[in-house]
Amino acid sequence: MKFMIFASGNGSNVEAIVAAYLNHEIPGELVGILCDQPNAFVIERAKKYDVPYFVVPRLVNESKQAHEARINQILQHKQVNFIFLAGYMRIIGPTLLEDYLGRIVNLHPSLLPKYPGKQAIQDAFSDQATETGITIHYVDEGIDTGPIISQTKLAVLPDESLADLTERIHKIEHRDYPRVIANILGGRE
Ligand code: GAR
């Protein structure tokens, strides 16, 4: 199974996945990292690990469909079977879903269906939630909907700062996402 990781920003989860892959904990073949933000730090991480990367920003006046069609060309060329979103901050549209429904997985930093969207950790924190967590799920046409593969809960500690909560959520993500990816590519999910 060939897989690609999509990211838009810092890429700490990409690094966790790549490290597990290089440590032979994830089967299949990592064919690259796709990033839609030319200045994202994840590109430095790709270079550091010598993983091929593809920078595909959405151009001015480019439709979502045309952008995704360009991404899809790369996926077809590289014969990608699975896509793992790791901090990829775009909604996946029909152009990619048509070819990859059931083969795109997303990582989200809340217990979905609670706190969908781009600021889930902040939203849970501002809401004074006593518990939050992470969700790993298949992507469908909705925003952070789609069949759930795994969830991990985390108590929000009294007097904890947003930065501390964010760090604890990231730690769980770095531990759980590579394992779930290994299970999916190993045919166990
Ligand atoms: C992660 O916490 C991930 O769950 C979240 O973005 C962060 C990326 O961090 N994704 C979403 O919010 C998707 N809606 P990273 O770039 O350091 O991996």
Side-chain angles (χ1 to χ4, degrees), residues 7-81:
S8 299
N10 180 24
S12 71
N13 280 284
V14 167
E15 182 151 351
I17 298 162
V18 170
Y21 173 75
L22 294 175
N23 211 20
H24 308 288
E25 292 163 24
I26 294 178
E29 184 187 345
L30 172 59
V31 294
I33 295 162
L34 187 136
C35 180
D36 64 322
Q37 300 294 334
N39 298 319
F41 187 65
V42 68
I43 295 167
E44 301 310 313
R45 298 189 199 258
K47 289 178 187 164
K48 173 173 146 191
Y49 285 94
D50 208 14
V51 176
Y53 60 93
F54 306 88
V55 182
V56 190
R58 186 166 163 185
L59 306 173
V60 180
N61 294 329
E62 187 178 36
S63 67
K64 185 179 189 71
Q65 186 187 8
H67 181 225
E68 287 199 340
R70 285 197 297 128
I71 292 172
N72 206 9
Q73 274 183 356
I74 297 170
L75 299 174
Q76 300 305 324
H77 180 66
K78 293 286 166 192
Q79 299 180 311
V80 170
N81 304 110

Side-chain angles (χ1 to χ4, degrees), residues 82-179:
F82 270 92
I83 299 165
F84 297 102
L85 309 182
Y88 185 69
M89 292 304 188
R90 286 182 189 278
I91 311 293
I92 301 294
T95 307
L96 285 177
L97 277 177
E98 190 178 331
D99 282 339
Y100 284 96
L101 185 66
R103 295 187 291 135
I104 309 178
V105 175
N106 184 40
L107 168 69
H108 186 79
S110 77
L111 295 175
L112 291 172
K114 283 202 146 189
Y115 312 116
K118 289 187 175 176
Q119 300 198 346
I121 305 175
Q122 161 105 56
D123 290 346
F125 186 80
S126 308
D127 202 26
Q128 300 185 322
T130 54
E131 117 177 326
T132 185
I134 73 159
T135 302
I136 298 165
H137 66 98
Y138 289 105
V139 172
D140 66 7
E141 58 288 335
I143 298 175
D144 297 324
T145 56
I148 289 174
I149 303 165
S150 123
Q151 289 189 307
T152 305
K153 287 183 186 172
L154 184 81
V156 180
L157 304 175
D159 302 328
E160 177 170 41
S161 68
L162 175 59
D164 288 347
L165 177 62
T166 301
E167 191 182 323
R168 290 201 303 124
I169 286 187
H170 282 157
K171 269 195 185 141
I172 292 177
E173 292 183 326
H174 300 163
R175 181 196 67 191
D176 286 4
Y177 202 21
R179 285 185 197 166

